[in-house]
Amino acid sequence: LGLSRSVPCSWSEGMTGEHEFFISPRVNGWVIVTGVAIPTPDDDVDECYLFLIMLSRKLGHVQFFHAEKYLHHHAWARLDDGCVTRAYAWTGETVWNQGTKTVPETELDVRCFDYGEVCPPGVAAWNAEKVSQLAARWNFDPAAVDERQLNHAVGMAGETS
């Protein structure tokens, strides 16, 4: 990520989302990257796409999850070696729908709309509520991690240069 001014950071402090970036210690084999500097589809879907592509080219397999509580914006993506295998983002309209819907998406009954298709009232809220469950089915839900398991684990917080 090209972080500057990076400092050690606990899981509980890092997961507050107040840092530009927080890179967690390994949890269940995964490293979580979160923070206010991560581009989201509701800000700029192209910037989000390019960020995830760059990260996946460097790291291989990358997953992205986003749910905005009040407007019900939601997104998820899976990438391998810089290629999107599945992505969906709704920000008042569908702004990204790429790849075949996965089995967990179908099992959770999330509705993914085509570009220009109208989302009926309540469906966006339903989908946004399912994002953490989708994360759990694709790998695991970071919100469900027992912080006591990570008492002594330290990640890294920082800013880009």
Side-chain angles (χ1 to χ4, degrees):
L1 293 174
L3 298 183
S4 61
R5 293 175 284 204
S6 57
V7 295
C9 184
S10 70
W11 170 270
S12 57
E13 181 188 343
M15 291 304 285
T16 63
E18 295 174 7
H19 295 283
E20 201 170 284
F21 287 102
F22 169 65
I23 303 167
S24 79
R26 226 172 248 291
V27 181
N28 298 341
W30 290 89
V31 174
I32 309 299
V33 178
T34 189
V36 296
I38 294 178
T40 61
D42 31 9
D43 290 330
D44 185 336
V45 70
D46 293 329
E47 185 181 359
C48 179
Y49 168 82
L50 293 172
F51 175 81
L52 294 174
I53 291 288
M54 176 273 303
L55 205 56
S56 179
R57 284 181 179 153
K58 290 180 180 180
L59 301 175
H61 186 75
V62 169
Q63 295 183 15
F64 171 81
F65 301 96
H66 172 71
E68 198 284 325
K69 168 175 172 173
Y70 299 106
L71 297 173
H72 308 299
H73 295 178
H74 52 275
W76 49 84
R78 293 173 75 154
L79 299 90
D80 287 294
D81 301 318
C83 296
V84 176
T85 56
R86 175 66 180 137
Y88 182 75
W90 186 87
T91 63
E93 64 181 331
T94 299
V95 294
W96 192 8
N97 190 354
Q98 184 174 355
T100 305
K101 193 172 180 181
T102 64
V103 171
E105 288 171 275
T106 302
E107 291 172 347
L108 291 170
D109 196 30
V110 294
R111 302 257 322 266
C112 299
F113 297 92
D114 289 328
Y115 300 103
E117 190 176 359
V118 175
C119 175
V123 174
W126 170 266
N127 281 357
E129 290 174 11
K130 298 294 181 181
V131 171
S132 64
Q133 292 176 42
L134 181 61
R137 298 233 181 143
W138 277 6
N139 55 67
F140 82 103
D141 180 5
V145 171
D146 182 353
E147 288 183 29
R148 294 174 296 185
Q149 294 176 328
L150 301 169
N151 275 343
H152 303 291
V154 177
M156 189 67 59
E159 302 172 355
T160 54
S161 46

